[in-house]
């Protein structure tokens, strides 16, 4: 298995942990410059009632607390889902140069995103200046099917729960 896939599998595990805790099946890991997983996080927005408690943000917060710094230059972020605007911006502010994600917006329920249309992190990242004219690099589709299936099963479970409560 390639390294990117190994790291994405760890993000999938973080997503499963978030789901088991009552959150959404979205997970992230942050890999340090030596190739070690430094932190992980899951999406717990609904259970914390905190709109910023997204997987990527929680992962970034954990790393910054541990390091005692907001500068994560040299780290790589992996997320099971294409990051939203807020998460992409947080990664930029943390000076994270490279992001890999699994499922694209097109692969999942559109209500998981705050914007509609043809926005693409891969295109938007090229406009984000991190340091000394370095641009963020964003690459999608790592274990895309597995990440999309995880979110699809979560969406299906949520729909059935809502239907039962409405009945």
């Amino acid at each position: 298995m390639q390294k990117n896939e190994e790291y994405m599998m760890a993000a999938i595990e973080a997503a499963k942990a978030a789901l088991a805790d009552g959150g959404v099946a979205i997970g992230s890991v942050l890999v340090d410059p030596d190739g070690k997983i430094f932190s992980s996080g899951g999406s717990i927005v609904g259970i914390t009632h905190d709109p910023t408690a997204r997987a990527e943000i929680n992962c970034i917060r954990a790393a910054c607390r541990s390091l005692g710094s907001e500068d994560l230059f040299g780290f790589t972020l992996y997320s099971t889902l294409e990051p939203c605007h807020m998460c992409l911006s947080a990664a930029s502010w943390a000076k994270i140069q490279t992001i890999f994600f699994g499922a694209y917006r097109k692969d999942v329920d559109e209500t998981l995103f705050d914007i509609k249309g043809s926005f693409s992190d891969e295109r938007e990242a090229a406009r984000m200046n991190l340091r000394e004219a370095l641009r963020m690099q964003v690459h999608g589709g790592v274990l895309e099917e597995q990440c999309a299936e995880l979110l699809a099963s979560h969406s299906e479970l949520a729909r059935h729960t809502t239907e039962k409560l409405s009945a």
Side-chain angles (χ1 to χ4, degrees):
M1 186 180 291
Q2 294 178 356
K3 281 292 187 186
N4 285 342
E5 292 174 349
E6 289 178 30
Y7 297 137
M8 191 59 71
M9 288 302 298
I12 288 170
E13 290 305 312
K16 289 177 180 177
L19 183 61
D21 289 342
V24 177
I26 302 171
S28 291
V29 296
L30 197 57
V31 177
D32 72 16
D34 294 326
K36 295 182 181 143
I37 295 175
F38 192 81
S39 64
S40 65
S43 181
I44 54 172
V45 171
I47 58 177
T48 61
H49 307 292
D50 177 355
T52 69
R54 312 276 177 116
E56 299 90 341
I57 303 276
N58 290 332
C59 190
I60 291 167
R61 283 178 177 156
C64 290
R65 272 193 305 271
S66 181
L67 287 171
S69 173
E70 70 282 355
D71 190 341
L72 300 175
F73 190 78
F75 284 70
T76 302
L77 182 66
Y78 289 81
S79 182
T80 57
L81 181 61
E82 187 172 3
C84 68
H85 271 94
M86 179 178 61
C87 294
L88 188 64
S89 293
S92 175
W93 281 102
K95 307 292 187 219
I96 297 170
Q97 187 177 2
T98 308
I99 298 174
F100 290 95
F101 65 87
Y104 286 87
R105 285 174 170 77
K106 67 175 178 56
D107 296 329
V108 300
D109 181 354
E110 67 180 28
T111 63
L112 290 172
F113 290 96
D114 53 348
I115 62 167
K116 308 296 180 230
S118 63
F119 177 83
S120 164
D121 285 340
E122 292 164 312
R123 287 191 311 265
E124 186 67 19
R127 298 177 346 142
M128 295 188 165
N129 186 22
L130 299 177
R131 175 182 285 163
E132 300 167 8
L134 292 175
R135 304 282 185 226
M136 182 183 282
Q137 303 288 316
V138 179
H139 311 281
V142 178
L143 300 181
E144 181 178 357
E145 287 182 30
Q146 293 94 318
C147 293
E149 286 171 10
L150 183 62
L151 282 160
S153 64
H154 171 78
S155 294
E156 186 68 24
L157 176 64
R159 186 168 50 251
H160 286 302
T161 302
T162 303
E163 288 171 1
K164 285 181 180 178
L165 292 175
S166 298

